[in-house]
Amino acid sequence: ADLSFSILSMARSLKISQVLPTLNLLRPVKFGALLKGRFCVDATAPVGEAAQKMAQERLTFVMVCEPTTEKNAPAHVLGMMTERDFMRYMTYANQHTFFSGQHPLDKRVSQVMTPLGRMTQLHPNTSVNAALRSIQHRIWRHLPVVDGPPGKEVLSSIVSIRDLILVADGGRTEEAVPAALNEPEPTALHSVWSGQTAADVLASKRELSEEKSLRSWLLARSHRHTIGEHASVLAAAKQMERENLTFLVVVRDHVGVSEDDCTESDVVGLVTERSFLNYCIHPQCAPGDMTCLRDSYGDETTDLDKHAVLDLMTPLRDVVSVGPSASVSECVDIFFNKNVRHIPVFDALDAGKRQFIGVISLRDILRPIIDRPDL
């Protein structure tokens, strides 16, 4: 573990501009028109079109850029719209559009986005360490690299967090990339968590003491992280925003903060910001077909307060989960190879039942690295 930390310490001085050539060999990034085509929308585009691009491209954000008619013109960045921005807007969209008569999905994305000055971004001179620490505030799979003088910032690349860790893990050079491609995940993470399990990650996450049991911790916080299956979509969105969470565990309505253990039969699924996005944007609509988007988000679905979380959650059967004895290596494999952001943990009970004991995020796995002051 000490060797892994020393290697990562050496990577601290590396700048994004120094590792971009290696990153692009790992996962080639299309530049110019192709980069803009996937990650950018014009500032004049409607919110529905931006959200549709996020859903179809499986992005956690889209860059909002100045409109241009030139195909190969640089993408001048004005801001970004994230899944959280979309969820926050749609939560109050009916109030915003009631008097104007405008459809919620027709509002300009520039009016909903996080502006350039407040959005998460990397620059060519950003250190690898600073880039990794950005996930302390949000769980990102990709981060934009913005370059240029104030007022003329352009999107120069998109960095994958997984690949950034992989390159930083040993300060790999371009010559070492072929070997790195054959490694399923960063070896330093395995060294840091060597011999430890999902239960150890949950314990470190909660900073449990002898006087504070796992069960009491869960009961004290269940109101923050869980929501009843028949609660409204609107209530779920507001709870995620209020508690600054990216997901909620959906439980049967009879489950609450009580002396009863929460078993697998009580947990019915997960609802995330991505769930909310997919719920509002119909997958069958052609790119940019606002008529289809408006019709699919019609009167019967506009009132989010009248539709249950059951309508948008991911059922438990479709969620990848682990047991408390699963190695951290297994969890790392799931995060990087199955492209998920949260892993529920269930413990085996008698009669074939399993008890729900928590959720691990990618941020929890990376915390020993990004929290160390010497890195």
Side-chain angles (χ1 to χ4, degrees):
D2 290 340
L3 176 60
S4 298
F5 277 128
S6 65
I7 290 173
L8 286 169
S9 295
M10 289 189 295
R12 178 181 182 178
S13 61
L14 292 176
K15 305 297 183 184
I16 292 297
S17 58
Q18 294 174 284
V19 299
L20 272 179
T22 310
L23 291 171
N24 290 333
L25 284 176
L26 281 168
R27 196 185 306 273
V29 173
K30 306 299 184 183
F31 291 91
L34 292 176
L35 181 66
K36 286 201 312 182
R38 183 182 182 200
F39 291 98
C40 296
V41 295
D42 286 349
T44 56
V47 167
E49 183 179 321
Q52 183 186 44
K53 181 183 287 287
M54 291 169 61
Q56 293 179 343
E57 297 286 350
R58 296 184 59 81
L59 303 174
T60 54
F61 64 86
V62 287
M63 307 302 296
V64 181
C65 302
E66 289 183 354
T68 177
T69 56
E70 298 181 34
K71 183 178 180 180
N72 294 315
H76 290 285
V77 179
L78 300 177
M80 68 159 56
M81 187 181 83
T82 65
E83 290 175 335
R84 173 59 57 91
D85 291 329
F86 178 75
M87 185 179 73
R88 182 184 295 116
Y89 164 67
M90 293 303 289
T91 298
Y92 301 100
N94 287 345
Q95 300 173 26
H96 293 165
T97 59
F98 178 79
F99 293 103
S100 67
Q102 183 185 41
H103 193 284
L105 296 179
D106 283 336
K107 195 178 187 72
R108 285 191 177 187
V109 68
S110 59
Q111 297 175 283
V112 177
M113 71 180 186
T114 299
L116 179 64
R118 292 195 291 109
M119 76 181 206
T120 300
Q121 58 188 284
L122 306 181
H123 300 276
N125 62 347
T126 301
S127 70
V128 169
N129 184 57
L132 292 177
R133 285 175 183 261
S134 67
I135 71 166
Q136 286 177 312
H137 308 291
R138 296 283 291 160
I139 302 176
W140 301 98
R141 286 198 300 265
H142 301 88
L143 288 169
V145 182
V146 177
D147 195 11
K152 295 293 183 181
E153 295 90 345
V154 299
L155 179 65
S156 65
S157 187
I158 298 290
V159 169
S160 159
I161 284 292
R162 174 205 184 272
D163 293 344
L164 187 60
I165 297 170
L166 193 60
V167 171
D169 181 16
R172 288 192 173 89
T173 61
E174 294 181 45
E175 291 74 18
V177 167
L181 286 169
N182 295 322
E183 298 178 14
E185 65 287 313
T187 57
L189 285 177
H190 289 293
S191 300
V192 171
W193 290 101
S194 178
Q196 299 191 61
T197 66
D200 295 317
V201 177
L202 290 175
S204 67
K205 179 178 179 178
R206 302 182 180 109
E207 299 179 350
L208 294 176
S209 63
E210 293 182 1
E211 295 77 23
K212 198 171 189 179
S213 70
L214 171 63
R215 186 160 173 265
S216 65
W217 190 94
L218 284 171
L219 290 174
R221 289 164 175 76
S222 64
H223 67 284
R224 294 185 60 231
H225 299 91
T226 64
I227 191 165
E229 60 187 330
H230 290 106
S232 71
V233 172
L234 183 64
K238 288 185 174 181
Q239 183 172 331
M240 280 192 281
E241 182 182 357
R242 181 178 64 251
E243 303 292 348
N244 195 28
L245 298 172
T246 57
F247 73 95
L248 292 173
V249 177
V250 184
V251 297
R252 299 202 184 282
D253 290 331
H254 69 271
V255 178
V257 181
S258 67
E259 291 303 313
D260 297 324
D261 289 322
C262 185
T263 65
E264 182 181 24
S265 61
D266 296 320
V267 178
V268 293
L270 287 184
V271 59
T272 66
E273 293 172 333
R274 168 64 45 164
S275 307
F276 190 88
L277 176 72
N278 290 336
Y279 176 76
C280 294
I281 302 299
H282 198 283
Q284 299 304 317
C285 293
D289 187 349
M290 287 302 300
T291 300
C292 176
L293 289 174
R294 292 188 202 99
D295 291 343
S296 62
Y297 188 78
D299 294 336
E300 72 279 3
T301 59
T302 301
D303 193 347
L304 301 178
D305 198 30
K306 295 182 179 178
H307 291 263
V309 171
L310 280 171
D311 296 331
L312 77 156
M313 72 175 191
T314 301
L316 184 63
R317 63 178 179 273
D318 297 332
V319 176
V320 179
S321 63
V322 298
S325 62
S327 69
V328 176
S329 293
E330 293 178 55
C331 297
V332 172
D333 289 343
I334 292 172
F335 280 123
F336 288 132
N337 296 330
K338 294 188 178 296
N339 201 25
V340 299
R341 283 179 274 181
H342 311 96
I343 305 176
V345 184
F346 290 93
D347 195 7
L349 297 175
D350 295 333
K353 292 184 177 181
R354 297 194 301 169
Q355 178 186 8
F356 172 69
I357 61 173
V359 176
I360 295 174
S361 72
L362 178 59
R363 179 163 45 199
D364 300 327
I365 297 290
L366 297 180
R367 185 170 285 119
I369 294 176
I370 62 179
D371 281 355
R372 281 183 56 127
D374 55 327
L375 291 179

